[in-house]
Amino acid sequence: MAKKTTNKSTLINKKGLSNKEITNTHSISEIKKKRKALPETEAIISGIFHGNNTFLSRGITLIESTNPDHQEKATSIINACLPKTNKSIRIGITGVPGVGKSTFIESFGKHLTSLGKKVAVLAIDPSSTLTKGSILGDKTRMESLVKDEHAYIRPSPTGESLGGVARKTRETIILCEAAGFDIIIIETVGVGQSEIAVHSMVDFFLLLKLAGAGDELQGIKRGIMEMADAIVINKADGDNYKPAKIAKVAFNRALHLYPEKESQWKPQVSLCSALQNEGIEDIWNMILNYVDLTSNNGYFEKNRNEQNTFWLLQTIENQLKNRFFNDKKIKDALKIQLQLIEAHKTTPFAAAEYLLSL
């Protein structure tokens, strides 16, 4: 007679540690200690001066933070970096989504690093108005440039700032210049009024366009054309080369309709294929010609001073706005005034006048 076997579960209970023994009361504190602590302000400043990208990133993180303690440290870092600024060329690059901004910047950036330049790319990523999140995918799109030891790419979320320009881009430029970067490229999201904000913080403003996409007519809109120091028609290769040449003629004609710039620079139209790395050197030479001209006639320095004045007034306006809306008395009164407006017992203008009088 066969020996009767007993079916046992594959899950075998073995004597082990009790829940109380498993829980280590010191584990949480130990983990916190092991986490990389944020270096002291002096260490960050020293790291930035020595061109250490890790410390540069931490400094920018402090600048972007809304934590009051971080803001105090950020101010100290900015003040320490100020004497080492104004030695770079700041270039703004804009264009509609799909025009090839990331591909162009990578090709352009690689060309500059091959010349021995240090290049910082401040790529502004659009934030979702619903989730407030950003993809921050520029480092993925610029695979070659991100590996270049002479390049630094910092994608920043737009947050709720005007036109999609990151709230602290201006201060980030200061840190990048202190870290020894020769060229600072600011990429906009290419929508809304982000171009206006970027134009107010760069020396040279480059507009990327496409041929054969109805872009020729869109480009003749007065605002963006007046701001552009150069129009570059990207993807001028293969079957698209001939339409790109036709678009170049159209843009050149349009540029002649505008009055002469204060800088005495005549905006130029250029063709390029960022994918094929064609026309990139010509664009850099064009920017150098612009810098030479404006440096000699005094406009380069004058423009920087005017930009500083603009950002001073802009900062005062933002600070006053923040103080106003964060005031508890204003918050309470605003709720009441909104209710009165909904009940048709006052107007938005009368409510605003009342709130400003408090």
Side-chain angles (χ1 to χ4, degrees):
M1 185 175 178
K3 187 178 179 181
K4 186 176 180 181
T5 58
T6 305
N7 289 330
K8 293 183 179 180
S9 170
T10 55
L11 298 175
I12 301 173
N13 272 331
K14 289 186 178 180
K15 186 177 179 182
L17 297 173
S18 66
N19 286 339
K20 187 176 180 181
E21 289 173 310
I22 291 172
T23 305
N24 185 347
T25 55
H26 300 290
S27 61
I28 296 175
S29 60
E30 286 175 0
I31 289 170
K32 285 183 177 179
K33 285 179 183 177
K34 288 180 181 178
R35 283 179 183 166
K36 215 169 193 179
L38 191 69
E40 289 300 318
T41 305
E42 293 77 10
I44 294 176
I45 293 169
S46 177
I48 290 172
F49 288 172
H50 285 88
N52 187 304
N53 287 350
T54 300
F55 284 103
L56 174 60
S57 294
R58 293 189 178 194
I60 295 172
T61 298
L62 285 174
I63 285 174
E64 293 177 346
S65 173
T66 55
N67 185 314
D69 293 336
H70 291 173
Q71 285 296 296
E72 188 177 339
K73 291 180 180 178
T75 301
S76 299
I77 293 169
I78 292 168
N79 290 337
C81 290
L82 275 173
K84 294 183 177 289
T85 58
N86 292 317
K87 295 177 183 177
S88 73
I89 299 174
R90 306 167 186 170
I91 303 169
I93 297 178
T94 190
V96 296
V99 75
K101 290 192 294 292
S102 295
T103 307
F104 174 81
I105 291 172
E106 179 170 50
S107 182
F108 185 58
K110 288 295 292 181
H111 175 71
L112 294 175
T113 57
S114 72
L115 298 175
K117 304 291 185 183
K118 284 189 68 179
V119 181
V121 179
L122 308 181
I124 313 302
D125 256 45
S127 297
S128 167
T129 54
L130 298 176
T131 65
K132 310 301 181 188
S134 297
I135 297 173
L136 302 177
D138 287 278
K139 286 195 172 184
T140 303
R141 293 193 291 268
M142 303 179 194
E143 290 181 7
S144 180
L145 190 61
V146 77
K147 297 173 185 175
D148 195 313
E149 61 179 352
H150 297 296
Y152 173 75
I153 301 175
R154 175 73 182 198
S156 299
T158 60
E160 298 176 355
S161 55
L162 172 64
V165 179
R167 183 173 57 92
K168 297 293 185 179
T169 302
R170 176 82 176 171
E171 287 84 355
T172 300
I173 291 173
I174 294 172
L175 266 62
C176 289
E177 288 183 338
F181 286 96
D182 307 297
I183 313 295
I184 297 175
I185 298 171
I186 305 175
E187 175 195 359
T188 79
V189 295
V191 293
Q193 295 194 356
S194 59
E195 291 85 2
I196 296 172
V198 169
H199 183 261
S200 67
M201 63 177 82
V202 298
D203 305 310
F204 189 91
F205 194 65
L206 190 152
L207 173 63
L208 281 178
K209 304 294 277 182
L210 287 175
D215 230 13
E216 295 87 344
L217 293 176
Q218 291 296 318
I220 300 175
K221 287 184 176 178
R222 190 173 184 87
I224 189 67
M225 290 286 283
E226 282 185 328
M227 287 190 292
D229 295 303
I231 296 173
V232 173
I233 303 169
N234 194 20
K235 302 183 182 181
D237 49 43
D239 293 338
N240 206 36
Y241 183 72
K242 188 174 180 180
K245 288 187 71 176
I246 296 171
K248 181 180 178 180
V249 174
F251 281 124
N252 268 320
R253 287 174 179 168
L255 288 172
H256 285 299
L257 300 174
Y258 296 102
E260 184 180 353
K261 285 177 174 283
E262 186 184 351
S263 63
Q264 297 176 17
W265 170 260
K266 294 181 180 179
Q268 300 178 23
V269 184
S270 183
L271 300 180
C272 93
S273 170
L275 199 62
Q276 303 296 330
N277 202 31
E278 295 173 354
I280 300 297
E281 184 178 359
D282 294 337
I283 294 167
W284 173 236
N285 289 333
M286 175 174 58
I287 294 173
L288 288 178
N289 290 336
Y290 171 86
V291 173
D292 286 341
L293 173 69
T294 54
S295 295
N296 290 330
N297 64 23
Y299 177 79
F300 192 93
E301 187 66 27
K302 181 176 181 289
N303 183 49
R304 287 256 177 123
N305 291 333
E306 288 178 350
Q307 288 178 352
N308 287 333
T309 301
F310 171 81
W311 283 101
L312 166 66
L313 299 176
Q314 194 74 27
T315 302
I316 292 172
E317 183 180 323
N318 290 338
Q319 290 286 354
L320 288 173
K321 183 179 176 181
N322 289 336
R323 288 181 188 176
F324 180 80
F325 284 109
N326 287 326
D327 187 289
K328 188 180 184 305
K329 184 169 66 173
I330 296 296
K331 285 181 178 179
D332 295 338
L334 179 58
K335 290 178 183 178
I336 295 171
Q337 291 301 311
L338 288 172
Q339 291 171 357
L340 291 174
I341 291 172
E342 289 177 6
H344 303 290
K345 292 182 179 180
T346 188
T347 67
F349 310 102
E353 190 173 343
Y354 170 76
L355 290 169
L356 289 168
S357 68
L358 293 178

